[in-house]
Amino acid sequence: MPHKILVVDDEVEIADLIETYLADENYTIFKFYSARAALACIETTDLDLAILDVMLPDIDGFALCKKIRESHTWPIIMLTAKDAETDKITGLTLGADDYVTKPFRPLELAARVKSQLRRYKRYNPAHAEGVGPSGDVLVHGELVLNRKAHSCTLGDRPLELTPTEFSILRILLENRGTAVSSEELFHRIWQDEYYSKSSNTITVHIRHLREKLGDGTDKPKYIKTVWGVGYILEDEP
């Protein structure tokens, strides 16, 4: 079944261009020029990914991203006309998985969509491919991550993780006791030459994970920073 992609951009030419290139990849496109129209679609359609422009006429893309994250974990790619680092960080902070700066190359955007969907298929139980029976469950204190079911709990509380957050936590759990650099996390998650290796991207996702884990910034119990190196989950929490 074709993946269902939401495209929201008030610039008709850009929205049409995105639709053309993604339709060539056999995706089903739901295209809107305003956030309110997109919200109606989100409530009634089982989507796989969203591409959101930041500057929309009614509700900005950041607010739309935040609204989506209240109920959905599928990937979100933000489109921004600004190359400012603060705009990128804002999108990531609100739950976006990636950002693309206008003007952009349509083939690059298509490549990023493919990359995000590959990770989402591994993350989403409805699409996940089988995982070997051994080592499916990773346990770290009260933290339990099931790679096969793509679920994560902390004590009795389920953690609602985005695909990127799940991937980062899985890698850190698989490498307990060893510091993993931002560059290595970036490469292992995206494996895509199109991505600029910005440590801020990983930093924002790590902050989200710490918030969901209830980790304090001064003395985190789970994800600890090794200054100048990267991040680590120590052998014992």
Side-chain angles (χ1 to χ4, degrees):
M1 181 179 297
H3 288 295
K4 298 175 182 178
I5 310 296
L6 175 70
V7 176
V8 189
D9 197 311
D10 65 329
E11 296 185 65
V12 176
E13 296 82 0
I14 292 180
D16 290 349
L17 179 65
I18 295 172
E19 179 183 34
T20 298
Y21 273 83
L22 295 185
D24 285 344
E25 300 290 340
N26 295 318
Y27 299 132
T28 299
I29 309 303
F30 295 82
K31 179 180 63 176
F32 299 95
Y33 306 120
S34 70
R36 295 190 189 280
L39 283 171
C41 173
I42 292 167
E43 292 176 357
T44 58
T45 308
D46 186 15
L47 298 166
D48 296 297
L49 182 143
I51 300 172
L52 310 178
D53 184 27
V54 170
M55 303 299 292
L56 295 171
D58 47 0
I59 303 171
D60 69 49
F62 293 140
L64 180 56
C65 174
K66 183 178 180 181
K67 182 66 176 177
I68 291 172
R69 278 291 173 255
E70 291 177 0
S71 307
H72 304 282
T73 59
W74 30 260
I76 297 175
I77 299 175
M78 303 296 299
L79 295 180
T80 173
K82 301 177 181 179
D83 195 24
E85 193 72 12
T86 53
D87 287 332
K88 298 174 182 178
I89 297 304
T90 298
L92 294 171
T93 299
L94 293 174
D97 296 277
D98 189 22
Y99 49 80
V100 175
T101 304
K102 296 180 179 180
F104 59 87
R105 293 178 293 174
L107 290 176
E108 175 183 346
L109 178 60
R112 295 192 182 204
V113 167
K114 287 181 181 178
S115 179
Q116 291 292 338
L117 287 173
R118 281 197 302 268
R119 291 192 301 111
Y120 181 53
K121 285 177 65 178
R122 293 196 298 268
Y123 173 81
N124 188 337
H127 299 289
E129 297 177 359
V131 180
S134 61
D136 288 337
V137 178
L138 301 173
V139 180
H140 186 71
E142 293 186 307
L143 181 63
V144 179
L145 183 144
N146 189 312
R147 289 185 290 194
K148 186 173 182 179
H150 293 268
S151 63
C152 187
T153 58
L154 182 61
D156 296 328
R157 177 170 61 92
L159 298 180
E160 297 294 333
L161 305 179
T162 67
T164 300
E165 293 163 359
F166 186 91
S167 296
I168 290 175
L169 188 56
R170 174 183 56 79
I171 293 169
L172 292 176
L173 282 166
E174 290 170 346
N175 292 272
R176 276 169 292 184
T178 302
V180 183
S181 69
S182 295
E183 290 76 12
E184 183 177 351
L185 285 169
F186 201 101
H187 174 71
R188 291 184 60 180
I189 292 169
W190 282 284
Q191 299 179 358
D192 196 323
E193 294 179 357
Y194 287 115
Y195 289 85
S196 60
K197 293 186 178 180
S198 170
S199 61
N200 282 332
T201 301
I202 296 297
T203 301
V204 172
H205 289 301
I206 290 288
R207 186 167 74 241
H208 286 168
L209 274 172
R210 283 174 169 163
E211 290 172 355
K212 293 179 180 182
L213 291 169
D215 252 355
T217 55
D218 295 333
K219 294 182 179 180
K221 181 179 179 181
Y222 293 99
I223 302 176
K224 300 182 179 180
T225 300
V226 181
W227 296 108
V229 180
Y231 303 95
I232 188 172
L233 267 78
E234 295 181 344
D235 289 327
E236 294 296 334

PDB file of all heavy atoms in Angstrom, residues 14-15 24 29 31 69 80 96 105 107 121-122 154 169 194 216 227 231:
ATOM      1  N   ILE A  14       5.066  25.653  -4.999  1.00  0.00           N
ATOM      2  CA  ILE A  14       5.927  24.743  -4.237  1.00  0.00           C
ATOM      3  C   ILE A  14       5.161  23.486  -3.853  1.00  0.00           C
ATOM      4  O   ILE A  14       5.669  22.366  -3.978  1.00  0.00           O
ATOM      5  CB  ILE A  14       6.484  25.452  -2.990  1.00  0.00           C
ATOM      6  CG1 ILE A  14       7.467  26.543  -3.413  1.00  0.00           C
ATOM      7  CG2 ILE A  14       7.162  24.438  -2.057  1.00  0.00           C
ATOM      8  CD1 ILE A  14       8.075  27.307  -2.257  1.00  0.00           C
ATOM      9  N   ALA A  15       3.924  23.669  -3.394  1.00  0.00           N
ATOM     10  CA  ALA A  15       3.108  22.505  -3.018  1.00  0.00           C
ATOM     11  C   ALA A  15       2.896  21.587  -4.215  1.00  0.00           C
ATOM     12  O   ALA A  15       2.985  20.358  -4.100  1.00  0.00           O
ATOM     13  CB  ALA A  15       1.767  22.970  -2.459  1.00  0.00           C
ATOM     14  N   ASP A  24       5.641  10.773  -8.206  1.00  0.00           N
ATOM     15  CA  ASP A  24       6.496   9.939  -9.061  1.00  0.00           C
ATOM     16  C   ASP A  24       7.114   8.784  -8.293  1.00  0.00           C
ATOM     17  O   ASP A  24       7.542   7.789  -8.891  1.00  0.00           O
ATOM     18  CB  ASP A  24       7.611  10.796  -9.688  1.00  0.00           C
ATOM     19  CG  ASP A  24       7.092  11.680 -10.815  1.00  0.00           C
ATOM     20  OD1 ASP A  24       5.979  11.412 -11.307  1.00  0.00           O
ATOM     21  OD2 ASP A  24       7.787  12.637 -11.189  1.00  0.00           O
ATOM     22  N   ILE A  29      -0.525  11.562  -2.060  1.00  0.00           N
ATOM     23  CA  ILE A  29      -0.301  12.897  -1.522  1.00  0.00           C
ATOM     24  C   ILE A  29      -1.615  13.542  -1.099  1.00  0.00           C
ATOM     25  O   ILE A  29      -2.595  13.534  -1.851  1.00  0.00           O
ATOM     26  CB  ILE A  29       0.396  13.803  -2.572  1.00  0.00           C
ATOM     27  CG1 ILE A  29       1.635  13.103  -3.149  1.00  0.00           C
ATOM     28  CG2 ILE A  29       0.761  15.149  -1.936  1.00  0.00           C
ATOM     29  CD1 ILE A  29       2.662  12.698  -2.120  1.00  0.00           C
ATOM     30  N   LYS A  31      -2.596  17.198  -0.196  1.00  0.00           N
ATOM     31  CA  LYS A  31      -2.005  18.532  -0.327  1.00  0.00           C
ATOM     32  C   LYS A  31      -2.976  19.600   0.153  1.00  0.00           C
ATOM     33  O   LYS A  31      -4.150  19.618  -0.229  1.00  0.00           O
ATOM     34  CB  LYS A  31      -1.629  18.784  -1.789  1.00  0.00           C
ATOM     35  CG  LYS A  31      -1.018  20.145  -2.076  1.00  0.00           C
ATOM     36  CD  LYS A  31      -0.691  20.282  -3.558  1.00  0.00           C
ATOM     37  CE  LYS A  31      -1.947  20.205  -4.409  1.00  0.00           C
ATOM     38  NZ  LYS A  31      -1.675  20.429  -5.842  1.00  0.00           N
ATOM     39  N   ARG A  69       2.007  16.379  17.123  1.00  0.00           N
ATOM     40  CA  ARG A  69       2.738  15.563  18.087  1.00  0.00           C
ATOM     41  C   ARG A  69       1.918  15.221  19.331  1.00  0.00           C
ATOM     42  O   ARG A  69       2.288  14.337  20.095  1.00  0.00           O
ATOM     43  CB  ARG A  69       4.040  16.272  18.497  1.00  0.00           C
ATOM     44  CG  ARG A  69       5.167  16.060  17.507  1.00  0.00           C
ATOM     45  CD  ARG A  69       5.640  14.626  17.518  1.00  0.00           C
ATOM     46  NE  ARG A  69       6.599  14.358  16.457  1.00  0.00           N
ATOM     47  CZ  ARG A  69       6.323  13.686  15.356  1.00  0.00           C
ATOM     48  NH1 ARG A  69       5.104  13.191  15.168  1.00  0.00           N
ATOM     49  NH2 ARG A  69       7.226  13.472  14.444  1.00  0.00           N
ATOM     50  N   THR A  80      11.388  25.573   5.743  1.00  0.00           N
ATOM     51  CA  THR A  80      11.582  26.933   6.229  1.00  0.00           C
ATOM     52  C   THR A  80      12.329  27.767   5.205  1.00  0.00           C
ATOM     53  O   THR A  80      13.268  27.284   4.562  1.00  0.00           O
ATOM     54  CB  THR A  80      12.344  26.954   7.561  1.00  0.00           C
ATOM     55  OG1 THR A  80      12.666  28.290   7.917  1.00  0.00           O
ATOM     56  CG2 THR A  80      13.642  26.154   7.472  1.00  0.00           C
ATOM     57  N   ALA A  96       9.634  17.962  15.330  1.00  0.00           N
ATOM     58  CA  ALA A  96       9.969  17.641  13.941  1.00  0.00           C
ATOM     59  C   ALA A  96      11.176  16.705  13.897  1.00  0.00           C
ATOM     60  O   ALA A  96      12.028  16.728  14.785  1.00  0.00           O
ATOM     61  CB  ALA A  96      10.259  18.917  13.156  1.00  0.00           C
ATOM     62  N   ARG A 105      16.216  21.420  -3.323  1.00  0.00           N
ATOM     63  CA  ARG A 105      16.196  20.542  -4.493  1.00  0.00           C
ATOM     64  C   ARG A 105      15.131  19.470  -4.272  1.00  0.00           C
ATOM     65  O   ARG A 105      15.179  18.761  -3.270  1.00  0.00           O
ATOM     66  CB  ARG A 105      17.569  19.897  -4.699  1.00  0.00           C
ATOM     67  CG  ARG A 105      18.665  20.892  -5.095  1.00  0.00           C
ATOM     68  CD  ARG A 105      20.006  20.207  -5.242  1.00  0.00           C
ATOM     69  NE  ARG A 105      20.497  19.708  -3.959  1.00  0.00           N
ATOM     70  CZ  ARG A 105      21.590  18.973  -3.816  1.00  0.00           C
ATOM     71  NH1 ARG A 105      22.288  18.612  -4.878  1.00  0.00           N
ATOM     72  NH2 ARG A 105      21.961  18.568  -2.617  1.00  0.00           N
ATOM     73  N   LEU A 107      14.706  16.590  -5.478  1.00  0.00           N
ATOM     74  CA  LEU A 107      15.247  15.244  -5.318  1.00  0.00           C
ATOM     75  C   LEU A 107      15.821  15.043  -3.918  1.00  0.00           C
ATOM     76  O   LEU A 107      15.768  13.947  -3.368  1.00  0.00           O
ATOM     77  CB  LEU A 107      16.317  14.959  -6.372  1.00  0.00           C
ATOM     78  CG  LEU A 107      15.802  14.803  -7.810  1.00  0.00           C
ATOM     79  CD1 LEU A 107      16.963  14.615  -8.773  1.00  0.00           C
ATOM     80  CD2 LEU A 107      14.847  13.614  -7.906  1.00  0.00           C
ATOM     81  N   LYS A 121       9.152   2.748   9.279  1.00  0.00           N
ATOM     82  CA  LYS A 121       8.741   1.360   9.089  1.00  0.00           C
ATOM     83  C   LYS A 121       9.375   0.462  10.141  1.00  0.00           C
ATOM     84  O   LYS A 121       8.750  -0.464  10.640  1.00  0.00           O
ATOM     85  CB  LYS A 121       9.124   0.881   7.688  1.00  0.00           C
ATOM     86  CG  LYS A 121       8.249   1.422   6.575  1.00  0.00           C
ATOM     87  CD  LYS A 121       8.723   0.983   5.220  1.00  0.00           C
ATOM     88  CE  LYS A 121       8.611  -0.510   5.051  1.00  0.00           C
ATOM     89  NZ  LYS A 121       9.031  -0.958   3.698  1.00  0.00           N
ATOM     90  N   ARG A 122      10.625   0.752  10.494  1.00  0.00           N
ATOM     91  CA  ARG A 122      11.279  -0.048  11.529  1.00  0.00           C
ATOM     92  C   ARG A 122      10.682   0.253  12.898  1.00  0.00           C
ATOM     93  O   ARG A 122      10.632  -0.610  13.766  1.00  0.00           O
ATOM     94  CB  ARG A 122      12.787   0.236  11.553  1.00  0.00           C
ATOM     95  CG  ARG A 122      13.525  -0.239  10.316  1.00  0.00           C
ATOM     96  CD  ARG A 122      15.016  -0.293  10.572  1.00  0.00           C
ATOM     97  NE  ARG A 122      15.564   1.002  10.895  1.00  0.00           N
ATOM     98  CZ  ARG A 122      16.078   1.835  10.004  1.00  0.00           C
ATOM     99  NH1 ARG A 122      16.067   1.518   8.723  1.00  0.00           N
ATOM    100  NH2 ARG A 122      16.574   3.008  10.377  1.00  0.00           N
ATOM    101  N   LEU A 154       8.955   3.024  30.914  1.00  0.00           N
ATOM    102  CA  LEU A 154       9.771   3.399  32.067  1.00  0.00           C
ATOM    103  C   LEU A 154       8.951   3.062  33.299  1.00  0.00           C
ATOM    104  O   LEU A 154       7.972   3.751  33.608  1.00  0.00           O
ATOM    105  CB  LEU A 154      10.114   4.885  32.030  1.00  0.00           C
ATOM    106  CG  LEU A 154      11.003   5.396  33.173  1.00  0.00           C
ATOM    107  CD1 LEU A 154      12.357   4.684  33.165  1.00  0.00           C
ATOM    108  CD2 LEU A 154      11.179   6.895  33.089  1.00  0.00           C
ATOM    109  N   LEU A 169      17.670   6.235  21.445  1.00  0.00           N
ATOM    110  CA  LEU A 169      17.657   5.464  22.691  1.00  0.00           C
ATOM    111  C   LEU A 169      18.079   4.027  22.451  1.00  0.00           C
ATOM    112  O   LEU A 169      18.824   3.439  23.254  1.00  0.00           O
ATOM    113  CB  LEU A 169      16.258   5.524  23.311  1.00  0.00           C
ATOM    114  CG  LEU A 169      16.119   4.937  24.718  1.00  0.00           C
ATOM    115  CD1 LEU A 169      17.086   5.597  25.689  1.00  0.00           C
ATOM    116  CD2 LEU A 169      14.681   5.087  25.209  1.00  0.00           C
ATOM    117  N   TYR A 194      22.835  13.776   2.435  1.00  0.00           N
ATOM    118  CA  TYR A 194      22.135  15.045   2.313  1.00  0.00           C
ATOM    119  C   TYR A 194      22.074  15.800   3.632  1.00  0.00           C
ATOM    120  O   TYR A 194      21.847  16.985   3.662  1.00  0.00           O
ATOM    121  CB  TYR A 194      20.705  14.832   1.808  1.00  0.00           C
ATOM    122  CG  TYR A 194      20.636  14.454   0.350  1.00  0.00           C
ATOM    123  CD1 TYR A 194      20.163  13.202  -0.038  1.00  0.00           C
ATOM    124  CD2 TYR A 194      21.049  15.334  -0.634  1.00  0.00           C
ATOM    125  CE1 TYR A 194      20.089  12.860  -1.376  1.00  0.00           C
ATOM    126  CE2 TYR A 194      20.978  15.005  -1.972  1.00  0.00           C
ATOM    127  CZ  TYR A 194      20.493  13.755  -2.337  1.00  0.00           C
ATOM    128  OH  TYR A 194      20.421  13.412  -3.657  1.00  0.00           O
ATOM    129  N   GLY A 216      17.013  14.709  35.080  1.00  0.00           N
ATOM    130  CA  GLY A 216      17.418  16.062  35.419  1.00  0.00           C
ATOM    131  C   GLY A 216      18.611  16.492  34.583  1.00  0.00           C
ATOM    132  O   GLY A 216      19.389  15.657  34.107  1.00  0.00           O
ATOM    133  N   TRP A 227      31.565  15.063  28.005  1.00  0.00           N
ATOM    134  CA  TRP A 227      31.945  16.301  27.344  1.00  0.00           C
ATOM    135  C   TRP A 227      33.087  16.095  26.365  1.00  0.00           C
ATOM    136  O   TRP A 227      34.089  15.461  26.683  1.00  0.00           O
ATOM    137  CB  TRP A 227      32.326  17.360  28.384  1.00  0.00           C
ATOM    138  CG  TRP A 227      31.166  17.741  29.249  1.00  0.00           C
ATOM    139  CD1 TRP A 227      30.971  17.426  30.555  1.00  0.00           C
ATOM    140  CD2 TRP A 227      30.004  18.467  28.847  1.00  0.00           C
ATOM    141  NE1 TRP A 227      29.774  17.906  31.009  1.00  0.00           N
ATOM    142  CE2 TRP A 227      29.150  18.549  29.982  1.00  0.00           C
ATOM    143  CE3 TRP A 227      29.592  19.048  27.641  1.00  0.00           C
ATOM    144  CZ2 TRP A 227      27.922  19.205  29.930  1.00  0.00           C
ATOM    145  CZ3 TRP A 227      28.372  19.694  27.595  1.00  0.00           C
ATOM    146  CH2 TRP A 227      27.554  19.772  28.726  1.00  0.00           C
ATOM    147  N   TYR A 231      27.471  10.895  24.182  1.00  0.00           N
ATOM    148  CA  TYR A 231      26.489  10.507  25.186  1.00  0.00           C
ATOM    149  C   TYR A 231      26.653   9.041  25.557  1.00  0.00           C
ATOM    150  O   TYR A 231      27.111   8.237  24.753  1.00  0.00           O
ATOM    151  CB  TYR A 231      25.066  10.761  24.664  1.00  0.00           C
ATOM    152  CG  TYR A 231      24.829  12.190  24.260  1.00  0.00           C
ATOM    153  CD1 TYR A 231      24.983  12.583  22.935  1.00  0.00           C
ATOM    154  CD2 TYR A 231      24.500  13.164  25.203  1.00  0.00           C
ATOM    155  CE1 TYR A 231      24.795  13.900  22.562  1.00  0.00           C
ATOM    156  CE2 TYR A 231      24.308  14.478  24.841  1.00  0.00           C
ATOM    157  CZ  TYR A 231      24.459  14.845  23.519  1.00  0.00           C
ATOM    158  OH  TYR A 231      24.271  16.156  23.151  1.00  0.00           O
TER     159      TYR A 231
END
